[in-house]
Each structure stands twice: as structure tokens, then as C-alpha cells.
Amino acid sequence: MQDIKIAIIGLGYVGLPLARLFATKYSVVGFDINQKRIKELRSGVDSTLEVEDDILQSVLKDSSNANIGLFCSSDLEDIEGCNYYVVTVPTPVDKNNRPDLTPLYKSSETVGKVLKKGDIVIYESTVYPGVTEEECIPVLENVSGLTFNKDFYAGYSPERINPGDKKHTVEKILKVTAGSTPEIGKKVDDLYASVITAGTHLAPTIKVAEAAKVIENSQRDINIAFVNELAKIFNLMNIDTNDVLEAAGTKWNFLPFKPGLVGGHCIGVDPYYLAQRAQEFGYHPEIILAGRRLNDSMGQYVASEVVKLMVHQDIRIKGANVLVLGITFKENCPDVRNTKAVDVINHLKDFGTEVTIYDPWANPEEVRHEYNLETTVDLPNQKFDAVVLTVAHKEYLDVNLKSLLETNGVLYDVKGILKEEVHGRL
């Protein structure tokens, strides 16, 4: 494996940690069309916080020709000499929750321009079974003029990155791998096995590996939908859902899921990929879509519960000041992609409240660009009619939230992490 030179296409939450890891053993070129991102990474800084600056700086190199290390570039010519291309671009859904393969098509076009005989293209993006071979490969063939499984080959190794998780880093998570032929599957598996300390699992086909990934997050989505529904039921019965889950969790095979807002680039998206593929085969998935509908409704549910509590406290809703704590999709992470905290905020605004958003992790410029919402990284110095904790950032545990409330104000805990007495929680 001495002559391996790897190009990582897309340097986001998935691509950069993988590029950094491969760069400890191989010559790696990290490619991204975002020139601002490239400039930032070349300076040794990662704004996603997935790779610590000192670790990133330890693998950076000044050119694409060095034997080992990471060179970041937005120039196509810098990846021409690579023989492994790993595509790590996002796979979102559109406003109608239909899979949007545009990033995959564009990145495949990019790779196709530099593809040579003998090269291997590996996709890490989460997709429904069949996308790699039926959607991406034709683009590679058309642009390169080469023939699949004769001139070039493909692999698939779904990402399992958990943004913000410093314990389960990329090398510590077992990697599923697959190749377009048995021989290529072995090559792809060997490549990942050389850096993944947790080990690898070689799937028999690319479609099996694609299917395995998409059901991982669909399964979590369905389980969270179940406890979200339980939360709605137990709230009507005036029973604390967390107390119920703690009691049930004493059984050895009870699954420890908690209610909450389900957003992000995986759990809130991947089930739609599987559902669309199923419908193309004439099957309407009932459980998968039911789970999605329930989880997508939780933002409106939380906002309604908060407003009900405010009414009970004789708070005038129109013009009421509400502080929302958190807009990222998960705790202790700056990622705002597909965050469902936005649903809570928008529904609170629909009721006529004035919403202030405090999130020390989120980039206000990014939030403004993505959602047209204003946020602050500093704790506001005023009193509020309601405080709603939507994201469990560690900073919030050090704040006396009751001191932020008006005399009859409402404190609502979506995440169930607050030790102090609250007026409501999921």
C-alpha cells in the first residue's frame, strides 16, 4: 500500500476527520470548493471543532507532493495524481423531504474530470441502496470516458461520524466497507483497516453497505419517535416521562432512548432516503414515515406546551419575551444543519411572542444565512416571560435560569437535564 495517494472530496464534519486520520499514514489531498474553508484549514483552524487545532496542524503539509500528510486545496489539478477518491459530501432532503443528490452528482463530476485507469472511487455519503452504482457511477463514466469495473472501480464505506463526540472519533468506530468487485472490496477494506483501530466489516456488496447505513439511523428515528409519543401521553397523565424511562430502564433489554427534537444531517434525513427507495419499488413504508411525522411535529408540540404554561401563569402571549437556549441540532457542537430548534422558534413566533436566541456554540452569521434568524453568543441581561432549553449545551448548566425569569415566568426543559424545578419538560 506504499503508492496510495488519497483525495478526500468535501472537508466538512465527515471529510476533515477522515482526511486527518488518513494523513497519519498516507499522502492526502483534502478538496473542497469552499475557498474560505480551505484558507481556514491551511491556517490550522477547524471551525466545526471536529479536529482540534494542534492535531490538524500536526498533519498539514505545504504541497500535494509530500509522502505523508494533509494538503488542503480547492484546485482540481491538486487531486489529479491521486488513485483513491473518497467522496464525503452531504446528502440532504429538499423542502418536500425528497432526497437531494445534487452534491453527489457535482462531486462525481469533479472526480470524473481527473479519473484515471486503475483508480478507485469510494463514497461515504448516506444514500438509499443503489445510488452509488445507479446514480454516481454513470456520472463518473460520462465525464471520464472510462468504463466501470474495467478502467476504474468503486467502493462504499458509510460515515459514522457523531458531531461533537470526542469519545467516539472516526478511528474508534467500526467501519463497514464494500467494493464493486470482491478484489476491490478487499482493497477498500484493507485501506480503512490500516487506520481504523476499531476494525472493519466487509459487506458482500455496495448495496448491502448502503442499506446497512440507512437503516442505522432509521432505527434510531423510530425509537425516538416512540418515546416522543410516550412523552405526549404521559404529559396528559401528569406523569414524568424521565421517571418512567428510568424505571423501565432497569430491565436488561430495555433500549435507553430519550424524547427530544430530532434534527441533524442523519437521523432526521436518512429515513426519507429509504422511504423514497421503497416507494419506487411499490411499497409504502408505514412505520418509517409515521416515525418521521411524529418527530417532525415535536417543534410545534413544544411551542404549544410552552404557550399553555404561559397562559396558566396569566402571561399575555402576544409580545411576550421568550428566551430559547440553543439552536444547534445537538449539544456541545456548532452544527446547525437541519436543526429542529428552529421549529420551536418559528412556532413560538407564530403565537406572537418575541424570541431571543442564545447559543454560545452557533455561528450567528451561519444561522442568519441558513434560517434568517438572529442569535447571540452572550447571555442576555434581561428578564423573560419564558425560558425554553432546546439544546443541552454544558454552558447552560452553569446559569441560574430562574434569575432570567419574570416573577410569573415559565421554565421549560426539552432535554430533561435541568436539576432545578421546571414548569414543564418533555
Side-chain angles (χ1 to χ4, degrees):
M1 303 180 78
Q2 297 298 317
D3 299 325
I4 289 175
K5 187 172 181 181
I6 304 168
I8 305 294
I9 312 300
L11 294 175
Y13 286 85
V14 174
L16 182 66
L18 184 66
R20 192 284 309 172
L21 180 60
F22 274 135
T24 60
K25 284 197 174 184
Y26 305 104
S27 175
V28 179
V29 180
F31 179 87
D32 201 294
I33 59 174
N34 186 338
Q35 295 183 4
K36 181 180 178 182
R37 174 70 167 158
I38 295 299
K39 183 178 180 181
E40 161 192 292
L41 294 176
R42 283 182 173 179
S43 71
V45 175
D46 172 28
S47 60
T48 70
L49 307 181
E50 287 304 299
V51 178
E52 295 176 8
D53 292 349
D54 59 335
I55 295 177
L56 173 61
Q57 292 160 16
S58 71
V59 298
L60 287 177
K61 58 181 182 177
D62 296 328
S63 75
S64 60
N65 297 320
N67 291 330
I68 293 178
L70 171 63
F71 178 70
C72 299
S73 175
S74 58
D75 295 327
L76 194 61
E77 61 184 24
D78 286 325
I79 63 172
E80 286 180 347
C82 297
N83 45 28
Y84 279 83
Y85 294 89
V86 185
V87 178
T88 61
V89 297
T91 43
V93 292
D94 63 19
K95 63 181 181 180
N96 297 311
N97 292 321
R98 293 175 302 200
D100 180 6
L101 300 179
T102 302
L104 272 181
Y105 290 141
K106 289 187 176 297
S107 59
S108 297
E109 289 173 1
T110 296
V111 173
K113 293 174 183 176
V114 296
L115 201 59
K116 309 174 301 300
K117 287 191 175 183
D119 289 350
I120 298 175
V121 184
I122 304 168
Y123 289 88
E124 288 220 1
S125 306
T126 302
V127 293
Y128 55 76
V131 166
T132 299
E133 292 156 300
E134 297 168 19
E135 300 291 339
C136 299
I137 296 304
V139 176
L140 293 173
E141 287 187 314
N142 290 337
V143 176
S144 70
L146 301 176
T147 302
F148 177 51
N149 276 345
K150 176 184 176 186
D151 300 322
F152 75 93
Y153 304 89
Y156 186 77
S157 182
E159 59 90 0
R160 280 175 167 170
I161 292 291
N162 186 24
D165 190 338
K166 300 306 179 184
K167 181 180 179 182
H168 302 97
T169 51
V170 60
E171 66 268 30
K172 297 176 184 176
I173 304 173
L174 193 144
K175 207 84 163 69
V176 173
T177 63
S180 55
T181 70
E183 295 77 19
I184 296 303
K186 181 67 166 58
K187 280 191 173 185
V188 171
D189 193 67
D190 287 345
L191 178 69
Y192 281 97
S194 69
V195 294
I196 303 292
T197 56
T200 59
H201 173 86
L202 178 57
T205 67
I206 287 177
K207 285 182 179 179
V208 167
E210 290 171 327
K213 169 59 181 178
V214 80
I215 72 165
E216 289 174 21
N217 290 325
S218 297
Q219 182 186 68
R220 284 183 56 79
D221 193 43
I222 291 166
N223 280 313
I224 296 171
F226 173 61
V227 293
N228 274 337
E229 188 161 65
L230 292 180
K232 289 184 176 183
I233 294 169
F234 293 141
N235 282 344
L236 291 171
M237 299 177 178
N238 199 29
I239 300 173
D240 190 302
T241 304
N242 284 336
D243 289 346
V244 175
L245 293 175
E246 184 179 352
T250 59
K251 189 181 180 188
W252 75 91
N253 60 352
F254 185 82
L255 300 178
F257 287 91
K258 297 247 178 161
L261 304 171
V262 185
H265 64 106
C266 287
I267 300 178
V269 171
D270 297 352
Y272 287 120
Y273 276 74
L274 183 56
Q276 167 147 323
R277 190 58 166 167
Q279 288 168 339
E280 290 174 1
F281 280 82
Y283 181 83
H284 181 76
E286 297 184 27
I287 294 176
I288 293 171
L289 290 179
R292 274 286 74 232
R293 282 193 298 272
L294 197 143
N295 284 339
D296 277 348
S297 74
M298 292 308 291
Q300 182 177 12
Y301 175 77
V302 167
S304 298
E305 290 294 294
V306 171
V307 169
K308 286 179 186 176
L309 290 169
M310 292 170 69
V311 170
H312 290 158
Q313 294 291 101
D314 294 324
I315 298 172
R316 185 174 184 270
I317 303 303
K318 186 173 183 180
N321 290 313
V322 178
L323 176 63
V324 171
L325 300 176
I327 196 170
T328 61
F329 93 89
K330 66 175 293 189
E331 66 276 4
N332 307 323
C333 169
D335 194 348
V336 298
R337 290 176 296 174
N338 193 36
T339 173
K340 295 305 176 183
V342 168
D343 291 354
V344 177
I345 293 163
N346 288 336
H347 284 295
L348 285 170
K349 286 187 171 186
D350 287 343
F351 280 107
T353 68
E354 299 292 333
V355 178
T356 300
I357 308 163
Y358 164 52
D359 193 319
W361 285 82
N363 183 328
E365 182 181 338
E366 186 177 355
V367 175
R368 189 180 304 116
H369 177 266
E370 291 293 326
Y371 303 107
N372 195 30
L373 292 171
E374 297 299 323
T375 63
T376 177
V377 295
D378 300 311
L379 184 65
N381 183 24
Q382 69 175 89
K383 299 281 188 179
F384 293 90
D385 297 302
V387 174
V388 185
L389 186 143
T390 54
V391 186
H393 291 320
K394 57 187 178 183
E395 286 82 357
Y396 301 149
L397 296 177
D398 298 325
V399 178
N400 180 0
L401 297 180
K402 287 287 183 70
S403 69
L404 298 173
L405 291 174
E406 297 284 4
T407 305
N408 59 338
V410 168
L411 179 58
Y412 191 93
D413 182 9
V414 173
K415 297 297 292 184
I417 65 162
L418 299 179
K419 299 288 189 278
E420 58 206 292
E421 183 179 346
V422 299
H423 298 90
R425 61 161 56 99
L426 268 183

